[in-house]
Every structure is written in C-alpha cells, then in structure tokens.
C-alpha cells in the first residue's frame, strides 16, 4: 500500500460525537441503493419500511451503536480532520458463532475513494481488535469495485491468509470474507 499524503485518522466515537456518523449515514444508504436497486420509502428515506418518516427517526434507530460500549464499535474516519466515513464493528452477541468482530458497515465518501484511504482506515480498525473477523459484501457484478476492494485490503492486511466464500447470511446471499489477526490459525 502506497503512503498517502493525506492525514488519515480513525477514532472510536461516543454519544457526544455520534451525530457525525449519523449525518454521514444517509449518504451511505444512498450509495448502497445503486448496488441493490433500492428506492427510498414513501417518505424519501432509504429504509426498508415506510414506518420511518424522517431523518431524525432514522438516526434514532442508530443509537444502539453508542449504547453498548465494548460490544459495538462505531469508528469515524477523518481525512485531514474532516469527517469522511465510518466503520461500524460488532462483537458477540451481534455476530455469528465463532466470530469475534464483524464489519457491519463501512463507508468512505465518494470523492476520496481510489486513493488508498479506505484500505488504510480498515487496517487501523483491524489493528484495534484482535480475533476472528467476518464481513459480507454484495456478490453481484454491480459491486465488483467493492468486492475487489475487500479482496485486496484483506489480502494485503493478512498477507493472503483469509477465506472467501459465497453463501447465505442473515442479510441474504453474500460474498463472505473471514480472517484472524490474533496470531491463531483461523478455523
């Protein structure tokens, strides 16, 4: 990975600065809409149901990320001290059996993509927490960029020691990546 001239920080957030991730979240959902052919609900919000009517309601749903410290880890990505994305990491009981850490959401604003920032941010997060990791991504051709990103980022981070498979998940059929960064062979 090339050295990036931009200052990249990844910081664990708390309730005081949760609003920053909540501000970025609709941008993330908008990005996902092209991968899943989703339209907003009848209220103009990217949510699965029409029950959510405002962005205020949508961000209230996200409060769980700041209510379970040391179980849920909401990281903010900063580039030159400007909020540029986020990484939401879950640990048991919010992951599959045998998994210590699950990449629930990962987002970097479009204008900063393709510069090595996302891979650098992922590495920073991985270095914070050791154990068995898992993440899913959309397996369809419209997400080739995302698939290539995770394949490269995880391969670079683990020196190629990871597993990759297609399968059913709690979120439908996905491309699943798993690796271990605790020095123990992944089972």
């Amino acid at each position: 990975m090339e050295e990036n001239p931009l200052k990249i920080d990844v910081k664990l957030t708390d309730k005081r600065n949760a609003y920053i991730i909540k501000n970025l979240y609709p941008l993330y959902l908008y990005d996902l809409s092209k991968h899943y052919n989703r339209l907003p609900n009848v209220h103009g919000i990217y949510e699965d149901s029409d029950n959510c009517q405002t962005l205020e309601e949508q961000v209230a749903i996200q409060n769980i990320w700041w209510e379970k410290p040391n179980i849920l880890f909401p990281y903010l990505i900063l580039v030159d001290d400007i909020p540029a994305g986020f990484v939401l990491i879950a640990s048991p009981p919010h992951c599959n059996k045998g998994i210590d850490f699950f990449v629930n959401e990962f987002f970097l604003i479009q204008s900063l993509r393709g510069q090595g920032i996302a891979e650098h941010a992922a590495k920073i997060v991985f270095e914070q927490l050791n154990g068995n990791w898992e993440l899913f991504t959309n397996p369809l051709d419209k997400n080739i960029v995302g698939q290539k990103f995770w394949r490269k980022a995880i391969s670079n981070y683990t020196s190629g020691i990871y597993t990759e498979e297609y399968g059913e998940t709690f979120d439908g059929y996905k491309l699943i990546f798993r690796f271990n960064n605790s020095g123990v062979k992944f089972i």
Side-chain angles (χ1 to χ4, degrees):
M1 184 169 52
E2 294 178 22
E3 191 62 34
N4 198 303
L6 299 170
K7 178 183 165 199
I8 303 165
D9 291 313
V10 179
K11 297 184 178 182
L12 191 60
T13 60
D14 57 28
K15 287 180 181 182
R16 291 172 298 169
N17 52 11
Y19 74 93
I20 302 171
I21 290 177
K22 291 176 180 184
N23 286 342
L24 292 169
Y25 203 79
L27 302 174
Y28 167 68
L29 294 178
Y30 173 74
D31 270 8
L32 286 180
S33 71
K34 73 179 177 184
H35 297 296
Y36 294 99
N37 293 326
R38 289 192 180 142
L39 294 172
N41 68 15
V42 298
H43 308 288
I45 306 290
Y46 280 100
E47 282 295 332
D48 292 334
S49 85
D50 290 334
N51 294 337
C52 187
Q53 295 183 18
T54 67
L55 289 175
E56 184 178 1
E57 289 174 11
Q58 185 180 56
V59 297
I61 296 166
Q62 299 160 9
N63 285 339
I64 190 171
W65 286 98
W66 294 274
E67 294 169 352
K68 295 185 173 191
N70 300 314
I71 295 174
L72 298 177
F73 302 89
Y75 289 97
L76 179 64
I77 301 170
L78 298 158
V79 177
D80 289 340
D81 298 318
I82 301 295
F86 56 83
V87 187
L88 303 180
I89 304 296
S91 68
H94 301 284
C95 9
N96 288 322
K97 185 177 180 181
I99 299 300
D100 300 307
F101 302 103
F102 176 69
V103 180
N104 199 77
E105 316 281 356
F106 188 97
F107 173 68
L108 183 69
I109 59 172
Q110 288 187 13
S111 60
L112 293 174
R113 293 179 190 169
Q115 301 178 47
I117 295 166
E119 184 174 347
H120 187 78
K123 180 182 177 187
I124 291 170
V125 171
F126 296 154
E127 291 295 313
Q128 301 297 309
L129 306 162
N130 292 322
N132 290 329
W133 283 81
E134 182 177 65
L135 67 89
F136 312 149
T137 195
N138 182 331
L140 301 177
D141 288 346
K142 59 180 76 180
N143 188 37
I144 289 291
V145 171
Q147 295 166 30
K148 286 181 178 179
F149 164 74
W150 283 116
R151 195 169 284 123
K152 179 182 177 217
I154 294 170
S155 182
N156 286 345
Y157 178 69
T158 65
S159 299
I161 303 171
Y162 69 97
T163 65
E164 175 182 328
E165 66 183 3
Y166 294 90
E168 284 299 323
T169 71
F170 64 81
D171 195 28
Y173 188 77
K174 300 288 182 180
L175 174 56
I176 305 163
F177 293 93
R178 294 185 188 101
F179 66 92
N180 179 291
N181 66 347
S182 65
V184 177
K185 185 174 179 163
F186 185 75
I187 297 172

